[in-house]
Amino acid sequence: MEYRTLGASGLKVPALSFGAGTFGGSGPLFSHWGTSDDAEARRLVDICLEAGVTLFDTADVYSDGASERVLGAALKGRRHEALISTKTGLPMGDGPAEAGTSRARLIQSVDAALSRLGTDYIDLLQLHAFDATTPVAETLGTLDDLVRAGKLRYVGVSNFAGWQLMKSLDLSQRHGWSRYVAHQVYYSLVGRDYEWELMPLGLDQGVGALVWSPLGWGRLTGKLRRGQPLPAGSRLHNTAEFGPPVDDERLYAIVDVLDEIAAETGKTIAQIALNWLLQRPTVSSVIIGARNEEQLRQNLGAIGWSLDAGQIARLDTASAVTPSYPRFPYYRQAGFARLDPPAV
């Protein structure tokens, strides 16, 4: 396993990490992700640790805390071998105090997560969304207190806009508070919006990307084909409405190139899509999920080799889209490469 530094921190994380959203799955979304019980989860964790996948990502909102509880049970007796990343901030109920990142909510949420995980510290806590109703200084000051109390090691965010992340980084620097070192983002061959603003920000400010849904919400597995119906067993039948939208013709054009490269390399479409991400700037770790041992072992095959420059260029071209304003006026001009970091 390759290990990378998480942003501008001293934390070393594996290039592939494991998303535990499949653990204890329940409800209209998470039950279709996976329903691993304690025994199956422990087996998947066994395989991960044997392969050097030491970072496990979850969230309090995943199946109403069940994912954290199952992950904690799977790591019992070997907590020291693993890094735990969890998230908070999304609603856990209908009450006014059950959502957001106020001081009261953060303290309560962290204590509850620690209890469910069966640990006394969290390696990386990420805010699951920006809370516009709470002053940024209140959130950051509370996170810093929790770090100083030893309950958190590092802090990060997920799904923030550029201005939200930059404002937070500036306030942290001015007050000497713990700084965000990670941004958990949606990024894939069919979803490259991360590159336009957030990737250059991450390069400039030392914020590492943890990539969620690297296979485009399950679309880059090789099972979706032009002119063929959605496979009967696809979870997209039940989860497509929750995920990022994807233009079908663009997807098929990307899959055509993935097919060509699969024939050249002997790798699967999913492995190639994951390996492409591992070559991108700012990417510290790509979060892989698996409903069973076979899926996990296949995804682990994305590491230990690299696409060549020509193959990467073909995938870049097939997946390219014109960026949104204010970038598109200059995107095709000759000077673009001199003005931007190597994000596209």
Side-chain angles (χ1 to χ4, degrees), residues 13-231:
V13 296
L16 293 179
S17 47
F18 185 83
T22 57
F23 288 0
S26 63
L29 173 59
F30 298 108
S31 63
H32 296 291
W33 278 14
T35 56
S36 297
D37 58 16
D38 287 12
E40 184 174 35
R42 189 168 183 88
R43 176 57 182 155
L44 294 175
V45 169
D46 288 343
I47 296 168
C48 285
L49 292 176
E50 289 168 5
V53 177
T54 54
L55 175 60
F56 298 87
D57 181 74
T58 182
D60 56 8
V61 76
Y62 291 171
S63 301
D64 294 324
S67 174
E68 289 181 328
R69 286 192 294 272
V70 174
L71 176 61
L75 287 172
K76 188 174 182 179
R78 49 185 174 171
R79 169 68 179 92
H80 61 287
E81 300 179 36
L83 300 171
I84 293 177
S85 161
T86 192
K87 300 178 289 294
T88 192
L90 293 181
M92 290 287 285
D94 297 328
E98 294 180 281
T101 57
S102 68
R103 183 172 182 83
R105 174 82 199 295
L106 280 175
I107 292 172
Q108 185 276 329
S109 295
V110 167
D111 285 344
L114 290 170
S115 177
R116 286 190 293 265
L117 288 163
T119 184
D120 57 3
Y121 70 95
I122 293 166
D123 296 282
L124 174 66
L125 179 78
Q126 297 154 100
L127 305 187
H128 217 154
F130 182 75
D131 178 7
T133 66
T134 297
V136 175
E138 178 178 333
T139 297
L140 293 170
T142 305
L143 289 173
D144 188 68
D145 288 344
L146 290 166
V147 171
R148 293 176 185 276
K151 295 183 178 183
L152 310 177
R153 296 290 193 258
Y154 295 90
V155 292
V157 297
S158 181
N159 304 322
F160 270 39
W163 73 265
Q164 296 164 348
L165 178 53
M166 192 63 238
K167 180 175 181 178
S168 301
L169 293 170
D170 177 64
L171 277 173
S172 293
Q173 181 173 341
R174 280 194 274 160
H175 291 276
W177 290 328
S178 298
R179 191 175 186 275
Y180 294 143
V181 298
H183 192 184
Q184 190 166 144
V185 298
Y186 171 62
Y187 187 27
S188 73
L189 278 166
V190 293
R192 295 180 61 179
D193 291 348
Y194 167 70
E195 295 175 355
W196 309 137
E197 180 178 3
L198 295 171
M199 179 184 280
L201 191 160
L203 283 168
D204 182 69
Q205 294 294 312
V207 180
L210 300 177
V211 178
W212 64 265
S213 202
L215 297 180
W217 208 249
R219 292 178 172 88
L220 294 172
T221 61
K223 297 178 182 178
L224 273 63
R225 298 288 174 170
R226 183 184 283 105
Q228 297 182 16
L230 192 65

Side-chain angles (χ1 to χ4, degrees), residues 16-20 48 53 211 214 274 286-290 295-296 299-300 302:
L16 293 179
S17 47
F18 185 83
C48 285
V53 177
V211 178
L274 294 170
V286 174
I287 303 170
I288 57 173
Q295 286 184 346
L296 176 55
N299 286 339
L300 290 173

Side-chain angles (χ1 to χ4, degrees), residues 290-308:
R291 285 183 282 183
N292 53 53
E293 181 175 338
E294 179 184 1
Q295 286 184 346
L296 176 55
R297 292 194 183 280
Q298 287 183 358
N299 286 339
L300 290 173
I303 203 77
W305 61 280
S306 294
L307 295 162
D308 66 34

